[in-house]
Amino acid sequence: MTNTSKKQFQISDLFRSQLMIPVIAILILTIFNLIIGPSFFNIRLDHNNLGNAVLSGNLITILDNGSELAILAIGMTLVTAASGGQDISVGATIAIAGSAILKILCGSDPHPETMQAPIIAAFFVGVIAAMLCGAFNGILVAYFRIQPMVATLILFTAGRSIAAWINNNELPIIKDAEFGYFGGFIPGIAVPTPFLIAVVCVAIIFLVMKFTNLGLYTQSVGINENAARLIGLNPVLIKFLTFVILGVCVAVCGLIKVSRISSINYSVIAKDIEMDAILAVALGGNALSGGKFNMAASILGAYVIQYLTTTLYRMKVPADALPAYKAVVVIVLVVLSAPTVREFFSKMGRKTRSSRREAA
Amino acid sequence: MSKKKNGGLGDRIRKMSDTNLLLTITIIVFFVMYICAMVFQGAGFLKPQTFCNILNNNAALIISACGMSIVMITGGIDISVGGVAALVSMCCAVHLDYQNGNVFTAVLIALGIGLAFGVIQGLLVAYLDIQPFIVSLAGMFFARGMTTIVNTKPFNVAHEGFKAVKETRIRIPGLGSVNKKGVFVNAYVEIGVVVALLVVLIFFIVLRWTKQGRNFYAVGGSRQSALMLGINVKRTRFYSHLICSILAGIGGFVYFMHVGSGSASHAQGMEMNAIASSIIGGTMLTGGVGNVIGTLFGVLSLSTIQNIVTSAGFDKAWWTGITVAGMLCIFLVIQSVLMSWKKKAMSGGDDNL
């Protein structure tokens, strides 16, 4: 008797847990792929055109391509939690950061034979550029109290134009293989570099959350701004800070994105990534209206999106039609996680529990 | 200017409702901008046809932005309008060209698509309490994806009846300019503009003088208080999304009438333009404040500044994006500063709508 009730408690607990949605999504997708054919999960050791031994396979593709989204999800979760709104300018800001990085690397000539500056310096400039964009959004949101979605609409509209303007609308191309490491493979390491970068970012943010009060402060500002001010926090500063942190995440994504193709396409780079990033936060079960958040769930949510995309590609869904299927999955997930539906499920759980108790 | 000398300006502003205050700013800015364009750039902007072209090009945006304003007044958001417009244009194009349909059934298809999106999104948002952003994001993805599933390649419609409707030009008597041959040509507008202006008029009346219209403001202002007043909050939110999607469907058809082709890349970014024009028009995303007349002027301001930028010789593509963003930024900051200033001036007095 005690045993069963404990078990049931765990099940209803699971329904309330934030990690439930992404984990269940992963399980469903995995089962689905196993039914279609387990060859999906094969991982091979291949040689790429540079002669390096690299891992390849669908799972590696997911880890590789989902990494940008995972990095973005970190910053987006913080922004969502603190400000109760979302930054829709991340795609455009990635274009700005990427453009700045390429500008520094190329110098005056758009097609240099070798890089004109060390990558670290270019990355540094990219970080500064993205942080400035974040700071701009942050000032509008925190100081002028404009709703985040509206405030970031400004950079959303202007970002790609600014990115084109930085490089005078030329298409810089970096020929050095070294620059391609960030979006590809470092020789001797078989794991795709974006995934390694994502792991480093996740590790950093978890250390920050563990050893500083960032997470706690962000949540308290998001739950009740006035209460947070009364207990001595500075909501303006904290909101501003979350936007700057998102800026850093954006710069890292920008580096990966431009490194993948060693060039940039202003209108296409990181297109619609803001929607996916917000989706990652929502799939992680975080309230988009701010407050409590779960970082791990968001990051998992980002990989779920990539998992879904890769699965759909496997089903031979054309790239243009992809969003329609994605939308259906998203709707099913959010309906399942809707408060009313969850209530219904937990009520059902309680009912069966009490009826069993009566029977006993 | 003369208002400023009047000592009672502050008083008058304080007495104004937020909606009217923001509306006044938008209208003043639009006229100042247009007059500046007339004075400094002359030629093009003096022709009535330039203004009519702004209307012709943006009729679809005006309709969608009206729906967007209503959703925003109710405190929600709908980013699926662009996708719905693209889906409508593609479905109508396929219906007219491949299935030899007629224009009337095409209109019904447009309305049907809008209705379907509205019902589903409205149900999800209002009755299942899912965030409107996520629901309409999925709606956008779905509409865009479906557009390519319906037909992959963009194509021009060659349907006779449709072309006749598309080419119908309504001449405005008394307005016009003399062309190069020395003949006086009346300025014209397309049918879409008439539809758009009708939509604005209808929803202006609905929002101002009907019970349902006032409910939108009440729910957007404070859902809790609206509930206590006995307003059916869920139904009101459902209606707002329903209206927005139906207007997106109509907007899609007007867009289709303007461009005369079906393509998956149609109406790209329309949702953001609609949101931007609503905001410039004085609608606040937090809800409870806004007006469709303001939205109309928001659309006009947005496209006027784009026209000014292109005709001023900044032909490089990026300038449009940057100026629109700059204008949005200025408007937002003005709104924000004015609102906080007003709140301070009222110093704890009761907020009237």
Side-chain angles (χ1 to χ4, degrees):
Chain A
M1 177 62 210
T2 44
N3 207 0
T4 47
S5 72
K6 199 179 175 190
K7 212 179 204 173
Q8 275 158 1
F9 172 73
Q10 277 168 345
I11 289 172
S12 62
D13 215 32
L14 191 74
F15 270 114
R16 260 178 254 129
S17 158
Q18 281 217 337
L19 276 173
M20 176 199 86
I21 312 164
V23 166
I24 286 189
I26 288 180
L27 281 180
I28 293 173
L29 282 170
T30 310
I31 292 167
F32 182 75
N33 274 311
L34 279 174
I35 292 169
I36 301 283
S39 64
F40 182 81
F41 298 100
N42 288 352
I43 294 177
R44 294 178 308 277
L45 197 63
D46 281 345
H47 290 272
N48 64 2
N49 46 14
L50 291 171
N52 301 318
V54 294
L55 289 172
S56 70
N58 287 322
L59 287 184
I60 301 298
T61 315
I62 294 167
L63 291 182
D64 185 1
N65 292 327
S67 298
E68 287 111 309
L69 213 52
I71 296 168
L72 273 185
I74 295 172
M76 194 64 91
T77 309
L78 287 176
V79 164
T80 304
S83 65
Q86 288 75 38
D87 184 340
I88 55 167
S89 71
V90 287
T93 329
I94 284 177
I96 294 179
S99 189
I101 290 172
L102 287 178
K103 176 79 185 167
I104 299 298
L105 286 181
C106 290
S108 50
D109 177 22
H111 308 289
E113 287 304 311
T114 55
M115 285 183 282
Q116 305 293 311
I119 294 177
I120 186 78
F123 176 61
F124 190 65
V125 173
V127 170
I128 300 271
M131 275 169 83
L132 281 178
C133 294
F136 175 74
N137 289 334
I139 288 172
L140 287 180
V141 171
Y143 187 74
F144 286 106
R145 293 169 175 281
I146 300 169
Q147 302 94 334
M149 260 200 59
V150 184
T152 50
L153 187 65
I154 297 171
L155 267 180
F156 174 88
T157 343
R160 287 172 198 282
S161 304
I162 294 174
W165 177 53
I166 289 175
N167 266 313
N168 212 7
N169 216 7
E170 278 154 346
L171 289 182
I173 296 168
I174 305 284
K175 289 176 186 138
D176 279 294
E178 205 183 307
F179 184 63
Y181 291 167
F182 297 97
F185 294 89
I186 297 172
I189 299 174
V191 182
T193 328
F195 180 60
L196 295 179
I197 298 175
V199 168
V200 171
C201 290
V202 170
I204 290 174
I205 198 68
F206 272 97
L207 287 179
V208 168
M209 304 273 275
K210 194 159 175 58
F211 292 108
T212 71
N213 285 331
L214 179 75
L216 185 68
Y217 287 0
T218 317
Q219 296 193 5
S220 55
V221 168
I223 292 168
N224 189 334
E225 206 185 313
N226 289 328
R229 204 180 52 241
L230 289 178
I231 58 166
L233 297 179
N234 185 350
V236 173
L237 182 71
I238 287 168
K239 277 191 199 171
F240 179 77
L241 212 60
T242 56
F243 274 91
V244 175
I245 293 173
L246 178 60
V248 178
C249 297
V250 161
V252 177
C253 285
L255 178 69
I256 297 175
K257 281 276 182 203
V258 288
S259 168
R260 273 188 204 280
I261 55 171
S262 285
S263 178
I264 189 167
N265 184 336
Y266 303 110
S267 54
V268 175
I269 182 173
K271 197 165 190 300
D272 290 341
I273 204 170
E274 53 274 350
M275 305 299 171
D276 276 349
I278 297 168
L279 202 55
V281 175
L283 281 186
N286 299 301
L288 290 185
S289 47
K292 283 179 87 76
F293 68 91
N294 186 335
M295 189 63 83
S298 291
I299 294 164
L300 218 51
Y303 283 110
V304 166
I305 294 172
Q306 189 58 43
Y307 197 170
L308 176 63
T309 312
T310 314
T311 308
L312 287 173
Y313 275 134
R314 182 206 188 184
M315 307 287 298
K316 301 267 183 299
V317 171
D320 290 333
L322 201 66
Y325 297 91
K326 228 182 194 173
V328 174
V329 177
V330 170
I331 286 293
V332 170
L333 282 177
V334 290
V335 165
L336 283 180
S337 66
T340 343
V341 179
R342 261 202 226 187
E343 192 90 320
F344 178 73
F345 273 117
S346 62
K347 221 181 250 171
M348 276 219 321
R350 240 178 282 147
K351 239 180 214 170
T352 50
R353 205 193 309 164
S354 59
S355 66
R356 267 187 209 176
R357 216 173 263 160
E358 273 163 23
Chain B
M1 277 296 122
S2 63
K3 260 190 182 177
K4 228 167 211 174
K5 281 174 201 159
N6 185 348
L9 176 74
D11 231 38
R12 203 175 295 170
I13 287 180
R14 230 166 296 152
K15 273 182 201 150
M16 248 179 180
S17 67
D18 292 353
T19 307
N20 287 345
L21 178 63
L22 293 175
L23 177 67
T24 321
I25 298 173
T26 313
I27 294 177
I28 291 173
V29 166
F30 169 70
F31 278 110
V32 167
M33 203 159 66
Y34 207 86
I35 290 166
C36 283
M38 277 179 175
V39 172
F40 294 112
Q41 303 195 332
F45 282 93
L46 288 173
K47 282 184 194 155
Q49 186 56 49
T50 310
F51 182 73
C52 290
N53 277 343
I54 290 179
L55 281 176
N56 287 341
N57 292 335
N58 291 293
L61 184 58
I62 292 172
I63 298 172
S64 310
C66 276
M68 184 71 79
S69 297
I70 292 168
V71 168
M72 278 165 65
I73 287 169
T74 322
I77 193 156
D78 187 339
I79 54 170
S80 68
V81 293
V84 172
L87 183 59
V88 164
S89 70
M90 183 58 96
C91 286
C92 290
V94 168
H95 174 68
L96 287 174
D97 246 27
Y98 294 175
Q99 301 173 346
N100 270 328
N102 62 48
V103 179
F104 180 69
T105 46
V107 175
L108 286 186
I109 286 176
L111 286 174
I113 291 172
L115 190 73
F117 271 81
V119 167
I120 293 171
Q121 294 186 358
L123 282 178
L124 290 178
V125 170
Y127 291 96
L128 286 183
D129 216 16
I130 304 170
Q131 286 122 343
F133 187 87
I134 294 298
V135 170
S136 55
L137 179 69
M140 179 184 84
F141 279 158
F142 186 74
R144 289 262 174 229
M146 275 314 278
T147 312
T148 51
I149 292 174
V150 170
N151 196 357
T152 329
K153 290 211 174 64
F155 66 99
N156 283 324
V157 177
H159 189 269
E160 292 298 326
F162 172 71
K163 273 194 161 171
V165 177
K166 176 178 163 15
E167 248 118 78
T168 310
R169 289 175 174 179
I170 299 159
R171 302 270 166 196
I172 302 170
L175 263 183
S177 54
V178 181
N179 69 2
K180 278 173 193 159
K181 286 177 193 160
V183 184
F184 185 82
V185 181
N186 278 357
Y188 69 87
V189 290
E190 289 168 9
I191 294 179
V193 178
V194 180
V195 178
L197 294 179
L198 265 180
V199 165
V200 171
L201 186 71
I202 290 171
F203 283 99
F204 175 71
I205 293 169
V206 166
L207 283 180
R208 190 134 203 164
W209 285 297
T210 68
K211 201 172 133 203
Q212 188 58 47
R214 303 316 292 174
N215 284 357
F216 289 136
Y217 284 97
V219 171
S222 168
R223 216 175 288 169
Q224 207 64 41
S225 320
L227 197 67
M228 287 175 179
L229 281 174
I231 293 170
N232 191 336
V233 173
K234 285 182 175 172
R235 202 170 57 200
T236 310
R237 293 180 80 200
F238 174 74
Y239 280 153
S240 75
H241 279 271
L242 188 67
I243 291 172
C244 180
S245 289
I246 291 177
L247 285 185
I250 299 173
F253 192 79
V254 169
Y255 186 91
F256 175 57
M257 277 207 295
H258 183 67
V259 292
S261 65
S263 160
S265 61
H266 271 349
Q268 201 91 49
M270 194 198 228
E271 54 277 344
M272 291 306 163
N273 278 336
I275 295 174
S277 1
S278 292
I279 290 162
I280 292 174
T283 309
M284 296 192 106
L285 248 189
T286 39
V289 179
N291 196 317
V292 285
I293 299 281
T295 307
L296 171 67
F297 279 97
V299 175
L300 293 180
S301 310
L302 205 65
S303 49
T304 306
I305 196 129
Q306 280 169 347
N307 271 17
I308 292 175
V309 168
T310 12
S311 67
F314 293 109
D315 54 340
K316 295 228 163 93
W318 58 73
W319 281 112
T320 331
I322 292 178
T323 38
V324 169
M327 183 170 153
L328 197 60
C329 180
I330 292 168
F331 260 90
L332 286 171
V333 172
I334 289 178
Q335 282 185 10
S336 151
V337 170
L338 256 178
M339 282 304 175
S340 65
W341 174 74
K342 201 183 149 191
K343 213 173 253 173
K344 241 179 234 166
M346 309 233 306
S347 62
D350 50 340
D351 274 353
N352 60 339
L353 192 80

